[in-house]
Amino acid sequence: MEFFEAVRARRSIRKYTPEAVPSDVMEKALDAALLAPNSSNMQTWRIYWIHEDSTKKETALACMNQGAARTAQELVAFVADPTTWKVSQQANLQHLGPNAPAAVKAYYTKLMPFVYSWRILAPVKWLMFNIMGLFKPMPRKPWSSRDIEEVAVKSTALAAENFMLAIAAQGFDTCPMEGFDESRVKKILRLSGRSRVVMIISVGRRDPEGLWGERFRLPKDIVLKKI
Ligand SMILES: Cc1cc2nc3c(=O)[nH]c(=O)nc-3n(C[C@H](O)[C@H](O)[C@H](O)COP(=O)(O)O)c2cc1C
């Protein structure tokens, strides 16, 4: 399916038919998810394909048993976990190899630890960069745990969108969900305390009743500004 056709075909589906989603459709979409752009290529996302029946049922219940989850053939949780940064730091350095430019090496050996660790010094970093920012453009974050979480959440959301479009391009359907009990989902998936379940995406073949009306978007002149 052509790109713009897939973008148009994707709708949030709240009821699926009992047709199974072939594994290769899922795998292709999961591979596409992992190609999403992400902050500093740190890939602090973790994706859980919840395929096992009883775990799927338990997760659907944690999604308030909403139709989009209850009737889904597959569920995928997109999780942001900034605590994984050291794994990514080392993997990036290994990928870059010994001949990488010094500035790139410094980015991963100095800047990344400065950002991802020493969070206790967040107020000091904030003050320092805000004072310097009076005189020239300076990054104003991420310093706090909350800022770092936001960075991971942004990248994870992009992976989720790649996934949904890749499913649409293969003729199947999805529904992104944030209507779930995050504590319960974290327990089911045995996630670390600092991880965030960004979205749970259900997958299947749309039932005609699964589409709630025509697509609606605000007029362009409200949300789109050319300056
Ligand atoms: C972050 C996020 C969370 C959402 N959570 C839910 C949800 O819990 N349940 C649901 O039925 N739809 C959910 N949706 C789907 C939106 O309602 C839907 O995208 C919106 O109404 C636009 O419709 P469309 O996706 O068909 O274009 C969510 C969408 C996003 C992006």
Side-chain angles (χ1 to χ4, degrees):
M1 196 187 285
E2 189 255 338
F3 174 75
F4 290 100
E5 206 183 322
V7 170
R8 275 190 297 269
R10 187 214 59 75
R11 291 297 313 277
S12 294
I13 296 302
R14 278 63 181 230
K15 186 179 176 191
Y16 299 96
T17 71
E19 181 183 340
V21 181
S23 282
D24 61 314
V25 168
M26 289 296 290
E27 274 154 25
K28 215 167 166 181
L30 290 165
D31 286 345
L34 297 177
L35 295 182
N38 64 92
S39 180
S40 299
N41 206 19
M42 291 295 274
Q43 302 166 60
T44 52
W45 49 40
R46 293 295 181 266
I47 302 173
Y48 293 79
W49 176 8
I50 305 162
H51 180 66
E52 200 269 317
D53 263 343
S54 64
T55 316
K56 212 161 54 184
K57 261 194 198 120
E58 210 183 337
T59 309
L61 281 174
C63 293
M64 315 304 169
N65 214 24
Q66 52 178 304
R70 197 178 59 245
T71 65
Q73 292 303 309
E74 305 290 344
L75 292 175
V76 182
F78 283 79
V79 176
D81 188 354
T83 65
T84 62
W85 73 272
K86 274 189 190 157
V87 174
S88 311
Q89 178 206 31
Q90 290 309 314
N92 271 293
L93 283 168
Q94 205 173 347
H95 169 74
L96 290 163
N99 300 325
V104 177
K105 271 194 209 164
Y107 191 89
Y108 286 105
T109 53
K110 296 199 167 75
L111 185 64
M112 287 302 103
F114 180 73
V115 168
Y116 280 91
S117 51
W118 302 107
R119 289 186 318 280
I120 193 138
L121 294 179
V124 179
K125 292 185 200 174
W126 180 89
L127 190 64
M128 205 167 86
F129 280 80
N130 272 284
I131 291 172
M132 290 192 289
L134 293 173
F135 307 100
K136 58 178 181 169
M138 276 287 155
R140 306 299 173 123
K141 53 182 185 181
W143 313 130
S144 67
S145 296
R146 181 76 183 75
D147 297 342
I148 292 160
E149 181 183 306
E150 184 183 304
V151 169
V153 167
K154 283 185 211 172
S155 297
T156 307
L158 293 178
E161 175 68 345
N162 264 20
F163 175 77
M164 288 187 280
L165 291 178
I167 290 286
Q170 298 178 88
F172 284 85
D173 295 289
T174 55
C175 185
M177 290 175 281
E178 62 189 349
F180 53 79
D181 179 332
E182 192 174 10
S183 302
R184 283 192 161 77
V185 174
K186 281 170 94 164
K187 219 180 240 172
I188 295 166
L189 301 178
R190 297 190 186 87
L191 301 178
S192 78
R194 282 192 60 213
S195 60
R196 291 294 319 277
V197 184
V198 176
M199 258 176 268
I200 297 181
I201 299 182
S202 59
V203 190
R205 174 84 72 194
R206 71 178 70 181
D207 182 283
E209 288 174 16
L211 191 58
W212 290 351
E214 291 295 305
R215 172 173 262 152
F216 164 69
R217 288 297 186 266
L218 292 168
K220 263 206 233 174
D221 60 343
I222 294 183
V223 294
L224 192 59
K225 312 285 175 195
K226 187 174 181 187
I227 53 169

